[in-house]
Amino acid sequence: MKVKKKNNVSGITLIALVIIIIVLLLLAGVTAYAFLGKNGIMAKTEEAKFKHKMSAIAEQWKLYVADCVAEKLGNTDIKQLFTGGDIIYDIIADEEIEMDTGLIRDIRKLLNEVTEKEEKFTMGFEGELYYVSKSSIENNQKQVQWCREIGIKIWEYKGRADTKVVDGDYKNIKRSLFMYA
C-alpha cells in the first residue's frame, strides 16, 4: 500500500495578505502625516524659509540704517516710510496715514533680499523694520508669530480706523506719522 504524501504548499494566505496591506496603509498614513501634517516636514520647511528670508531682510535693513547714520544723512531720512507695497498705498488711500505717496521709497531698491512678495508686507519706519499684518494674507497668523520670534515688529492693518495695533499697543494713526515710538 502506498502512503499519500501531504503537499506542503507554502504561500501567503488571504488573511496574511490583508494584514500586510493594512500595515502598509498605516505606514503610508503615518509617513504622509509626518510629511504633510500640521507640524510636518513641509510646514517646518515653510517656517524655516520664511524666517530665513525675513532675517536676511532685517539684517540688510539694519545695515542700511547704519549706513544712513554713518553717512550723516540726517534723522529725517531715517524717519521716512520706506516701502512701495500695495498695503502701504492702501493705508494712505484710506487716509489712515497722512502722507504724500511721493515720499515712499521702494524697499526693493534699498535692500537686495526683498522680492515683490515680501515688499508688499515689509515696512521700514524710523529706523525700524515692520511686518504689516493683514488678515487676508494666507498664513498671516503663522507669519506674525514667526516675525515676532525673530524680532521683527508687527504693524496690524485691519482696514480703515483711527487706531491700529502695533506690537500689541493701540496707536492713533491720524494724529501723527511718527506713531512707532
Side-chain angles (χ1 to χ4, degrees):
M1 180 178 212
K2 281 188 165 181
V3 177
K4 287 187 173 180
K5 289 184 180 177
K6 286 188 175 179
N7 284 340
N8 285 340
V9 178
S10 63
I12 299 175
T13 64
L14 185 59
I15 293 173
L17 184 61
V18 168
I19 291 172
I20 289 171
I21 290 172
I22 289 172
V23 168
L24 288 174
L25 288 173
L26 286 173
L27 287 173
V30 168
T31 303
Y33 180 76
F35 190 72
L36 300 171
K38 183 178 175 183
N39 291 319
I41 294 169
M42 292 301 286
K44 295 291 185 188
T45 302
E46 180 184 336
E47 178 181 354
K49 182 179 173 183
F50 181 84
K51 283 182 174 180
H52 174 73
K53 186 70 167 180
M54 293 305 289
S55 293
I57 292 170
E59 280 302 310
Q60 275 196 307
W61 178 257
K62 288 176 186 174
L63 290 172
Y64 173 75
V65 170
D67 285 347
C68 287
V69 171
E71 292 177 14
K72 298 180 180 151
L73 294 177
N75 289 337
T76 55
D77 287 340
I78 295 172
K79 291 185 176 187
Q80 299 271 337
L81 196 60
F82 287 117
T83 183
D86 295 339
I87 291 177
I88 303 306
Y89 284 107
D90 290 345
I91 292 167
I92 292 168
D94 287 346
E95 298 176 352
E96 295 176 41
I97 293 180
E98 296 170 1
M99 177 179 235
D100 178 8
T101 54
L103 295 175
I104 300 172
R105 295 164 111 181
D106 187 348
I107 200 167
R108 285 182 288 168
K109 291 180 181 173
L110 303 176
L111 308 178
N112 299 327
E113 297 290 326
V114 183
T115 64
E116 188 173 339
K117 182 179 178 183
E118 290 99 13
E119 174 261 343
K120 290 179 182 177
F121 309 112
T122 306
M123 177 174 82
F125 186 68
E126 290 188 338
E128 294 288 337
L129 186 69
Y130 292 88
Y131 173 78
V132 181
S133 166
K134 189 175 182 183
S135 58
S136 63
I137 302 169
E138 185 178 345
N139 293 325
N140 181 60
Q141 292 298 60
K142 288 180 184 177
Q143 292 172 353
V144 165
Q145 176 189 350
W146 298 338
C147 282
R148 283 194 174 122
E149 287 174 8
I150 59 176
I152 295 175
K153 294 184 177 183
I154 307 301
W155 196 88
E156 295 181 35
Y157 177 59
K158 296 183 179 180
R160 188 174 181 154
D162 284 343
T163 58
K164 291 287 174 256
V165 181
V166 180
D167 275 347
D169 294 331
Y170 286 90
K171 306 287 182 181
N172 189 322
I173 300 299
K174 290 187 179 183
R175 186 177 296 166
S176 171
L177 179 62
F178 305 108
M179 67 239 171
Y180 307 103

